[in-house]
């Protein structure tokens, strides 16, 4: 996972470190629509590989933008959702879409 700096000269540099890259913005966009399971996310972004999806979700989770909830069932069920911090980026993502 990419380490964040202790201080940034500009807030945009922090945003780039948090959601920069090819997939993170798309993942946040789809998760802002509602909770999703891993395979639901794979279906919404068919070009992403399993490995890359796992890596990007872990990074988003590590930075506090995405929450991973594991349900104690057989078979186990895992759901991804945006955190309050991740939802704060929704207006920015919407503006980018426009």
């Amino acid at each position: 996972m990419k380490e964040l700096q202790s201080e940034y000269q500009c807030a945009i540099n922090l945003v780039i470190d948090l959601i920069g890259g090819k997939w993170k913005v798309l993942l946040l966009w789809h998760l802002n629509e509602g909770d999703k399971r891993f395979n639901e996310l794979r279906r919404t972004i068919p070009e992403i590989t399993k490995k890359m999806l796992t890596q990007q979700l872990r990074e988003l989770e590590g930075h506090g933008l995405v929450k991973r909830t594991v349900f104690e069932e057989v078979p186990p069920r895992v759901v991804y959702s945006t955190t309050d911090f991740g939802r704060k980026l929704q207006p920015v993502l919407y503006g980018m879409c426009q």
Side-chain angles (χ1 to χ4, degrees), residues 14 18 60 63-66 82-90:
L14 172 61
L18 288 173
L60 288 168
H63 293 309
L65 297 170
V66 168
T82 51
T83 62
D84 290 337
F85 182 47
R87 280 188 288 279
K88 288 181 182 179
L89 292 174
Q90 192 169 14

Side-chain angles (χ1 to χ4, degrees), residues 1-94:
M1 175 173 43
K2 183 171 182 158
E3 294 292 322
L4 298 178
Q5 300 174 22
S6 59
E7 288 188 32
Y8 285 89
Q9 296 289 332
C10 177
I12 195 70
N13 291 331
L14 172 61
V15 173
I16 290 170
D17 280 353
L18 288 173
I19 64 170
K22 186 174 181 180
W23 304 112
K24 289 180 183 173
V25 171
L26 286 172
L27 289 169
L28 285 171
W29 180 260
H30 290 295
L31 287 172
N32 277 327
E33 296 172 350
D35 298 355
K36 301 259 189 294
R37 295 179 71 174
F38 186 87
N39 283 327
E40 288 179 281
L41 288 168
R42 281 200 64 213
R43 283 191 294 274
T44 59
I45 310 171
E47 302 86 15
I48 194 168
T49 63
K50 282 184 181 182
K51 179 181 176 184
M52 185 56 67
L53 178 57
T54 300
Q55 179 184 340
Q56 299 296 290
L57 286 169
R58 283 184 183 157
E59 286 185 20
L60 288 168
E61 182 183 9
H63 293 309
L65 297 170
V66 168
K67 179 181 167 189
R68 180 179 186 260
T69 306
V70 180
F71 294 91
E72 300 297 324
E73 302 173 350
V74 176
R77 181 170 53 110
V78 178
V79 174
Y80 294 92
S81 59
T82 51
T83 62
D84 290 337
F85 182 47
R87 280 188 288 279
K88 288 181 182 179
L89 292 174
Q90 192 169 14
V92 174
L93 296 176
Y94 183 75

